[in-house]
Amino acid sequence: MGFIIFVKINFMNWYQKEIKLEARRRGFHIITSEVVNQIPEIKKIKKGILHIFIKHTSASLIINENISPDVRSDMEKHFNKMVPENMTYYDHNSEGPDDMPAHIKTSVLGNSLTIPITDGDLNLGTWQGIYLCEHRNNGGSRKLVFTIFGEE
Amino acid sequence: MGFIIFVKINFMNWYQKEIKLEARRRGFHIITSEVVNQIPEIKKIKKGILHIFIKHTSASLIINENISPDVRSDMEKHFNKMVPENMTYYDHNSEGPDDMPAHIKTSVLGNSLTIPITDGDLNLGTWQGIYLCEHRNNGGSRKLVFTIFGEE
Amino acid sequence: MGFIIFVKINFMNWYQKEIKLEARRRGFHIITSEVVNQIPEIKKIKKGILHIFIKHTSASLIINENISPDVRSDMEKHFNKMVPENMTYYDHNSEGPDDMPAHIKTSVLGNSLTIPITDGDLNLGTWQGIYLCEHRNNGGSRKLVFTIFGEE
């Protein structure tokens, strides 16, 4: 007696973890290595997505140039001009002059990233790095949620 | 006669629905409860993602501070300054002075959100809420597509 | 002798591919057809997501109005005013006056898109199209990574 069962399954895996980044000064900071070191699980994923979410409304996440420190300091200078402190029309000032601009910058830049995973690595371009953008003078530690999903 | 079949399966579920939000006046509006009430399916998801997509080019979705009404009105004031009406270089004016600024604001702020789901709930920070940003004077009802995917 | 095995499986499929877009002049360009033609795999997806990622730090991806060419040219004019060239505070000038503004515009607009797939088609609104925003004077060919995932 014999029989065969065919089952076509694409194995799908989900990993999720919350981490705390150490407090950083106001400005734009590269955190690519710190992120990658926290998620060895991506090595198992053949095709998938890394989702990074920051659980705050005064710090943001972007992908930008990963070599020149001038790009990060020029970003800080430009966003301070584009979203100035102490505008007379701000009513939300209870936590200081950096409070409302931090909320605005966060929504201009965004609070999540989605990055393709290919053959166990983040599929970033040669010049792309992950930035934490700290918009408060004393933002403290920041919480990130990583969600990794894909096909093994 | 006996045999055993081992099958390792991570159950993956997909839910998708389109809803209409009631018309809102121009400005920044918190819609977190309205969103969560429409998607009881997230309670079944242990680890996953909620994707929200707005099917329009003159209204946007962001995550920002969920208590102070001043944050929402300061946002409206600041984006009206950052993207003013009636600039002489606008050629796209057929639907009124709020038309072209609405398109620009939409792309500065974005038309989709991805939020982690953890143990049946949106994994938002304490101060985070979901905003509908209505950039038209009379934008009318707005359509959203929710896509929920994750591991049960 | 007889037996039945019930296995509830939601078939999940992942497709991923990298493509090169031909070089385009600086400005905002609709690429919806070019994208859709490259990913016939979406026809197989009943409920899912298309993720598009641009592997560069000086060009971006947005969704905006898909008819009027004036929207695209007004966007270019407005972002050139919002993020001007030759600001005295820019230190990152090695590749020309369009270099640093291109980095800033990229992070204001974003380098990935997530679009719902419903019944084998992108579930875009009537007036929504996919834009490549080329922020360099001579950006050359641009690489995109498509990741498609969902339920068949």
Side-chain angles (χ1 to χ4, degrees):
Chain A
M1 179 188 167
F3 54 86
I4 301 170
I5 301 173
F6 288 104
V7 184
K8 179 200 168 203
I9 303 173
N10 291 322
F11 287 110
M12 170 74 186
N13 281 285
W14 284 82
Y15 305 98
Q16 201 172 57
K17 70 170 74 168
E18 188 167 321
I19 67 146
K20 281 190 184 190
L21 293 177
E22 60 176 18
R24 281 173 167 85
R25 65 176 168 71
R26 175 165 161 176
F28 290 67
H29 306 277
I30 291 189
I31 59 167
T32 316
S33 305
E34 197 171 338
V35 165
V36 171
N37 289 341
Q38 304 264 4
I39 46 171
E41 296 85 354
I42 65 171
K43 296 197 183 84
K44 297 183 205 163
I45 304 286
K46 207 179 153 208
K47 302 178 206 166
I49 296 283
L50 167 65
H51 180 252
I52 315 177
F53 186 81
I54 188 164
K55 296 179 74 172
H56 302 272
T57 62
S58 56
S60 54
L61 297 170
I62 61 170
I63 290 174
N64 218 298
E65 211 264 358
N66 61 8
I67 300 288
S68 162
D70 288 346
V71 171
R72 277 107 75 193
S73 54
D74 285 359
M75 287 260 183
E76 175 65 16
K77 287 179 279 180
H78 187 75
F79 284 97
N80 288 340
K81 176 173 165 279
M82 189 188 279
V83 189
E85 300 193 352
N86 299 311
M87 299 308 287
T88 54
Y89 54 81
Y90 293 151
D91 292 318
H92 183 81
N93 297 307
S94 53
E95 294 182 22
D98 58 326
D99 186 2
M100 191 60 215
H103 290 305
I104 297 172
K105 290 169 183 172
T106 296
S107 286
V108 170
L109 292 169
N111 50 16
S112 70
L113 294 176
T114 44
I115 302 173
I117 302 170
T118 306
D119 295 331
D121 276 315
L122 295 185
N123 194 347
L124 292 165
T126 310
W127 309 105
Q128 288 184 313
I130 302 170
Y131 283 33
L132 172 74
C133 317
E134 175 56 73
H135 304 305
R136 296 303 306 269
N137 293 330
N138 294 289
S141 173
R142 298 297 196 173
K143 281 176 272 184
L144 302 184
V145 181
F146 297 117
T147 306
I148 299 163
F149 47 105
E151 199 177 59
E152 298 218 342
Chain B
M1 180 188 164
F3 55 85
I4 301 170
I5 302 173
F6 288 105
V7 185
K8 179 201 169 204
I9 304 174
N10 292 322
F11 286 110
M12 172 74 187
N13 281 285
W14 285 81
Y15 305 99
Q16 200 171 57
K17 72 170 73 165
E18 188 166 320
I19 67 146
K20 281 190 185 190
L21 294 176
E22 60 176 19
R24 282 172 166 85
R25 64 175 168 71
R26 176 167 162 174
F28 289 67
H29 306 277
I30 292 190
I31 59 168
T32 316
S33 305
E34 197 171 338
V35 165
V36 171
N37 290 341
Q38 305 263 5
I39 47 171
E41 295 86 353
I42 65 170
K43 297 198 182 84
K44 298 183 204 164
I45 304 286
K46 208 177 152 207
K47 303 177 205 167
I49 296 284
L50 167 65
H51 180 253
I52 315 177
F53 185 82
I54 188 165
K55 295 178 76 170
H56 301 273
T57 62
S58 56
S60 55
L61 297 170
I62 61 171
I63 291 175
N64 218 298
E65 212 264 358
N66 60 9
I67 301 287
S68 163
D70 289 346
V71 171
R72 276 107 74 194
S73 53
D74 285 359
M75 287 261 182
E76 175 66 15
K77 287 179 279 180
H78 187 74
F79 283 97
N80 288 340
K81 177 173 165 280
M82 189 188 278
V83 188
E85 300 191 352
N86 298 311
M87 300 307 287
T88 52
Y89 54 81
Y90 294 151
D91 292 317
H92 183 80
N93 297 308
S94 52
E95 295 182 22
D98 58 324
D99 185 3
M100 192 59 217
H103 290 305
I104 296 172
K105 290 169 182 173
T106 296
S107 286
V108 170
L109 292 168
N111 50 14
S112 71
L113 294 176
T114 45
I115 303 173
I117 301 170
T118 307
D119 296 331
D121 276 315
L122 295 186
N123 194 347
L124 292 165
T126 310
W127 308 106
Q128 288 183 313
I130 302 170
Y131 285 33
L132 171 74
C133 317
E134 176 56 72
H135 304 304
R136 296 303 306 268
N137 293 331
N138 294 290
S141 172
R142 297 299 195 172
K143 281 176 272 184
L144 301 184
V145 180
F146 297 118
T147 306
I148 300 163
F149 47 104
E151 198 177 62
E152 297 218 342
Chain C
M1 178 187 164
F3 53 88
I4 300 171
I5 301 173
F6 287 104
V7 184
K8 179 200 168 203
I9 303 173
N10 291 322
F11 287 109
M12 171 74 186
N13 282 286
W14 285 82
Y15 305 99
Q16 200 171 58
K17 71 171 73 168
E18 189 167 320
I19 66 145
K20 282 190 185 189
L21 294 176
E22 58 176 21
R24 280 172 168 85
R25 64 176 168 72
R26 176 166 161 174
F28 290 67
H29 306 277
I30 292 190
I31 59 168
T32 315
S33 304
E34 197 172 338
V35 165
V36 171
N37 290 342
Q38 305 264 5
I39 47 171
E41 295 86 353
I42 66 170
K43 297 198 182 83
K44 298 182 203 164
I45 304 286
K46 206 177 153 207
K47 304 177 203 166
I49 296 284
L50 167 65
H51 180 253
I52 316 178
F53 185 82
I54 188 165
K55 296 178 76 170
H56 302 273
T57 63
S58 56
S60 56
L61 296 170
I62 62 170
I63 291 174
N64 217 298
E65 211 263 358
N66 61 9
I67 300 288
S68 163
D70 288 346
V71 172
R72 277 107 75 193
S73 53
D74 284 359
M75 288 261 181
E76 175 65 16
K77 286 180 279 180
H78 187 73
F79 283 97
N80 288 340
K81 175 174 165 280
M82 188 188 279
V83 188
E85 300 193 352
N86 298 311
M87 299 308 287
T88 53
Y89 54 81
Y90 293 151
D91 292 317
H92 184 80
N93 296 308
S94 52
E95 294 182 23
D98 59 325
D99 185 3
M100 191 60 216
H103 290 304
I104 296 172
K105 291 169 183 172
T106 296
S107 286
V108 169
L109 292 169
N111 49 16
S112 70
L113 294 176
T114 46
I115 303 173
I117 301 169
T118 307
D119 296 331
D121 275 316
L122 295 186
N123 194 347
L124 292 166
T126 310
W127 308 106
Q128 289 182 314
I130 302 170
Y131 284 33
L132 171 75
C133 317
E134 175 56 72
H135 304 305
R136 297 303 306 269
N137 294 331
N138 294 290
S141 172
R142 298 298 196 173
K143 281 177 272 185
L144 302 183
V145 180
F146 297 117
T147 306
I148 299 162
F149 47 105
E151 199 176 61
E152 298 217 342

